[in-house]
Amino acid sequence: MQLNFIVTILFFLSFLAYNVYAEEPVIFDIRNYGAGSGDISQALLDAWTAACNSTAPSIVFIPPGTWQLSQVKLHGPNKAPLELQVQGTLQANPDPSKLPDKDGQWITLNYVDNFTLSGGIFDGQGQQAWRQNDCHKNQNCAKLPINMSFNFIKNSIIRDVTSKNSKNWHVNCISSQNVTFLRFTISAPGDSINTDGIHLGRDTMINITDSIIGTGDDCISIGDEMKDLYIQNVTCGPGHGISIGSLGRNVAEKDVQGVYVRNCTFRGTDNGVRIKTWPSAPAQLQISDLHFEDLIMDNVSNPVIFDQEYCPHNLCKLDKPSLIKISKVTLKNIRGTSATSEVMSFLCSGAKPCENIEVGDIDLTYTGTLGPATTKCDNIKPILVGKQNPPICATPAQSA
Ligand SMILES: *[C@@H]1O[C@H](CO)[C@@H](O)[C@H](O)[C@H]1NC(C)=O
Ligand SMILES: *[C@@H]1O[C@H](CO)[C@@H](O)[C@H](O)[C@H]1NC(C)=O
Ligand SMILES: *[C@@H]1O[C@H](CO)[C@@H](O)[C@H](O)[C@H]1NC(C)=O
Ligand SMILES: *[C@@H]1O[C@H](CO)[C@@H](O)[C@H](O)[C@H]1NC(C)=O
Ligand SMILES: *[C@@H]1O[C@H](CO)[C@@H](O)[C@H](O)[C@H]1NC(C)=O
Ligand SMILES: *[C@@H]1O[C@H](CO)[C@@H](O)[C@H](O)[C@H]1NC(C)=O
Ligand SMILES: *[C@@H]1O[C@H](CO)[C@@H](O)[C@H](O)[C@H]1NC(C)=O
Ligand SMILES: *[C@@H]1O[C@H](CO)[C@@H](O)[C@H](O)[C@H]1NC(C)=O
C-alpha cells in the first residue's frame, strides 16, 4: 500500500519533471525582429529584450550566414534560462571609428543568470582596421572595438565560440560567478598588441576548459579578487601565457585565492605561468592557493616566473619591495623545453617572502647556446619533491 503510494508519487514527479524538461524553449529568431542584410544590432537587441521577458526558457537565434553587427549591449535580467545561439558569423565593422559608442565594447553581455552563449564565429575584421594601432606606446590610443564583455553574469556557459581575423580580441569577464568557457577558440597573430585572450577579475568559480587561445598578449590574465578559477586543457600560444597580475598598484585590490591550472600546453609563448606584482606599491593583498600541474612547455621563454619586481617601462621605483604575499603554491609535473636558460625564476618580495611553495617533477630543458638550464630564486625556500631537472634553487637563496 505504502509502496504503491510512493511509486505513484514518483511516477507523478517524473511525469512533471519530464514535462518541465521536455518543454521546448521559445525561439526568438532575429529575422522576426527585422534582421536582414544590414546592421543587425537593433534586431538582436529587440529579440533579446523579448527573450529576457519570457518566463519560459528561450533561445535568441542567429541563423547561419554572415551578419553585420556594429555594436550591442545585451543586458538582463532574464526571467528564465536564456541561450544566445549563434549559428552564423558575426562581423564587426572593419572601421573602428564607426563604433556608435566609442567607449563601449563591441558586444556587452551583462546581468544574466542561467545564460548560455553557444557557437558562432565572431569576426573582428581586424586585419584592415588596426594596422595603425599604437597602443603599445600610446596610452590614449583609439580604443579598439573587438572586445566582448561578460559582466555580472551567473551560472552561465560560453561554449563553442570562435574568434577569427581579429587583431584585437579581448574577452573580459568581470564580477561574475560560476561561468564556464568551454571549447573557446581565440586566434590573433602573435604580433598584435594588447590583445589579451580572456581577462578575468573579481570573479568566483570560473572554468576555462578545452580551449585554444593564440593572441599577441596574455592568453589568460587574472586580476584581483579572483576566487576559484579552474583552467583545464587549454593550449596557449602565441602570446604571453597565463598571468596573475599585475597586482599591487591600486590599494583597494583584494586577494586572489584558488587558481588551478591543469593539463595545459604552452607553445612558443613568452611565459608559461607568471605572477607579477609591482614594487613600491600600496596594496597588501595575498595571492594564495595556486596549483600549476601537468603542464607542457614547448619552447617557452619563461616557463615559470614569479616577478615581484614588475616595473615595465620604468613606471615605478624598485627601492621598496612589493607588499604582496605569495603562498601555498604547487608546481608539479611541468615538462618540456625552454627558449631561455633561466627555466624558472622566483623573484619573491624581500618584505613578504614566498611561502609554502612546493615544486616537484620538473623536467625543463634548454638546448640553446647560453649555458645549462638554471633557476633563479630570491626570497624563497621551496619544498622540493620528486625529480628536479634542472636542480631548483640549487645555489643558496639570496635575500634582497
Ligand atoms: C512581457 O511579457 C508579458 C507577458 O508575459 C507581456 O504582458 C508584456 O507586454 C511583456 N513586456 C515586454 C516589454 O515585452
Ligand atoms: C536559474 O536557475 C536556478 C536553479 O535552477 C533558479 O533557482 C533560478 O530561478 C534561475 N534564474 C533564472 C533567471 O533563470
Ligand atoms: C576591452 O575592454 C576593457 C574594459 O572592459 C578596456 O580596458 C580595453 O581597452 C578594451 N580593449 C579593447 C581592445 O577595446
Ligand atoms: C553553475 O552553473 C551551472 C550552469 O551553467 C549549473 O548547472 C550549476 O548548478 C551551477 N553551480 C552552482 C554551484 O551554482
Ligand atoms: C569547474 O571545474 C571544477 C574542477 O574540475 C569542477 O569541479 C566543476 O564542476 C566545474 N564547474 C562547472 C560549472 O563546470
Ligand atoms: C582538449 O581540448 C581540445 C580542444 O578543444 C580537444 O580537442 C581535446 O579533445 C581536449 N582533450 C581532452 C582530454 O578532453
Ligand atoms: C590530463 O591529461 C591526461 C592525459 O594527457 C588525462 O589522463 C587526465 O585525465 C587529464 N586531466 C584532466 C584534469 O583533464
Ligand atoms: C623558440 O622561440 C624562439 C623565440 O622565442 C625562436 O627564435 C626559435 O626559433 C624557437 N625555436 C623553435 C625550435 O621553435
Side-chain angles (χ1 to χ4, degrees), residues 155-157 178 205:
N155 306 314
S156 296
I157 300 179
N178 185 25
M205 253 181 80

Side-chain angles (χ1 to χ4, degrees), residues 9-304:
I9 290 285
L10 279 179
F11 181 78
F12 181 68
L13 283 178
S14 62
F15 178 75
L16 267 185
Y18 175 79
N19 271 295
V20 167
Y21 289 110
E23 189 184 6
E24 288 289 317
V26 186
I27 311 276
F28 296 87
D29 185 324
I30 57 164
R31 288 171 300 190
N32 298 333
Y33 291 83
S37 61
D39 179 10
I40 66 161
S41 301
Q42 192 60 48
L44 175 57
L45 181 61
D46 292 347
W48 173 269
T49 304
C52 282
N53 188 38
S54 169
T55 50
S58 63
I59 294 178
V60 173
F61 182 59
I62 302 184
T66 297
W67 305 92
Q68 310 302 320
L69 177 70
S70 62
Q71 186 174 43
V72 74
K73 283 182 192 158
L74 302 175
H75 283 200
N78 50 316
K79 293 184 176 162
L82 169 59
E83 176 171 342
L84 173 57
Q85 196 181 104
V86 186
Q87 290 191 1
T89 298
L90 294 180
Q91 252 175 10
N93 194 311
D95 179 356
S97 70
K98 295 269 164 58
L99 201 65
D101 172 4
K102 302 233 169 10
D103 294 325
Q105 316 301 331
W106 183 35
I107 299 173
T108 308
L109 264 152
N110 288 354
Y111 307 106
V112 282
D113 188 5
N114 302 332
F115 169 70
T116 302
L117 169 60
S118 66
I121 296 175
F122 292 75
D123 180 356
Q125 303 231 83
Q127 320 84 313
Q128 173 201 326
W130 296 295
R131 220 163 269 150
Q132 69 275 42
N133 175 7
D134 63 349
C135 290
H136 53 305
K137 32 186 201 212
N138 175 7
Q139 301 224 332
N140 299 318
C141 63
K143 279 215 176 149
L144 300 165
I146 299 316
N147 205 331
M148 281 179 94
S149 269
F150 302 97
N151 307 315
F152 310 98
I153 77 172
K154 274 193 199 162
N155 306 314
S156 296
I157 300 179
I158 291 151
R159 62 177 167 84
D160 300 302
V161 169
T162 300
S163 128
K164 77 168 202 198
N165 292 342
S166 51
K167 269 212 166 133
N168 283 273
W169 184 261
H170 190 142
V171 175
N172 283 289
C173 180
I174 309 287
S175 301
S176 294
Q177 196 187 319
N178 185 25
V179 179
T180 297
F181 291 84
L182 183 61
R183 294 185 297 272
F184 202 98
T185 306
I186 298 178
S187 60
D191 58 359
S192 58
I193 303 294
N194 261 327
T195 54
D196 289 4
I198 299 178
H199 176 74
L200 305 166
R202 301 190 288 279
D203 299 312
T204 303
M205 253 181 80
I206 305 289
N207 283 9
I208 303 176
T209 308
D210 299 348
S211 295
I212 300 172
I213 303 177
T215 77
D217 206 307
D218 291 337
C219 171
I220 298 170
S221 70
I222 300 159
D224 84 302
E225 214 181 330
M226 280 299 295
K227 195 167 168 7
D228 298 333
L229 165 62
Y230 295 85
I231 301 173
Q232 274 173 183
N233 186 31
V234 172
T235 298
C236 292
H240 297 177
I242 295 178
S243 187
I244 299 177
S246 60
L247 294 175
R249 284 191 111 184
N250 176 349
V251 72
E253 285 175 2
K254 299 202 172 71
D255 296 353
V256 171
Q257 195 196 357
V259 177
Y260 305 82
V261 181
R262 294 193 186 119
N263 274 34
C264 292
T265 301
F266 299 82
R267 285 195 209 291
T269 49
D270 286 5
N271 309 290
V273 290
R274 168 163 70 157
I275 304 173
K276 44 188 187 182
T277 78
W278 293 78
S280 297
Q284 301 219 21
L285 56 108
Q286 314 253 347
I287 302 176
S288 65
D289 234 317
L290 314 178
H291 304 275
F292 303 114
E293 301 183 356
D294 306 320
L295 307 182
I296 295 169
M297 303 288 166
D298 177 3
N299 195 31
V300 172
S301 301
N302 304 291
V304 173

Side-chain angles (χ1 to χ4, degrees), residues 279-358:
S280 297
Q284 301 219 21
L285 56 108
Q286 314 253 347
I287 302 176
S288 65
D289 234 317
L290 314 178
H291 304 275
F292 303 114
E293 301 183 356
D294 306 320
L295 307 182
I296 295 169
M297 303 288 166
D298 177 3
N299 195 31
V300 172
S301 301
N302 304 291
V304 173
I305 176 167
F306 291 11
D307 182 3
Q308 297 208 262
E309 294 176 3
Y310 180 73
C311 187
H313 316 297
N314 291 318
L315 286 171
C316 62
K317 289 190 180 161
L318 284 168
D319 57 344
K320 295 201 195 84
S322 164
L323 298 175
I324 292 179
K325 176 101 181 163
I326 300 173
S327 66
K328 270 183 82 180
V329 181
T330 54
L331 289 154
K332 260 197 206 141
N333 190 23
I334 301 179
R335 292 159 197 278
T337 56
S338 174
T340 70
S341 61
E342 214 166 79
V343 302
M344 283 198 177
S345 168
F346 301 99
L347 295 179
C348 295
S349 162
K352 308 264 177 175
C354 290
E355 210 170 76
N356 203 348
I357 314 292
E358 191 177 308

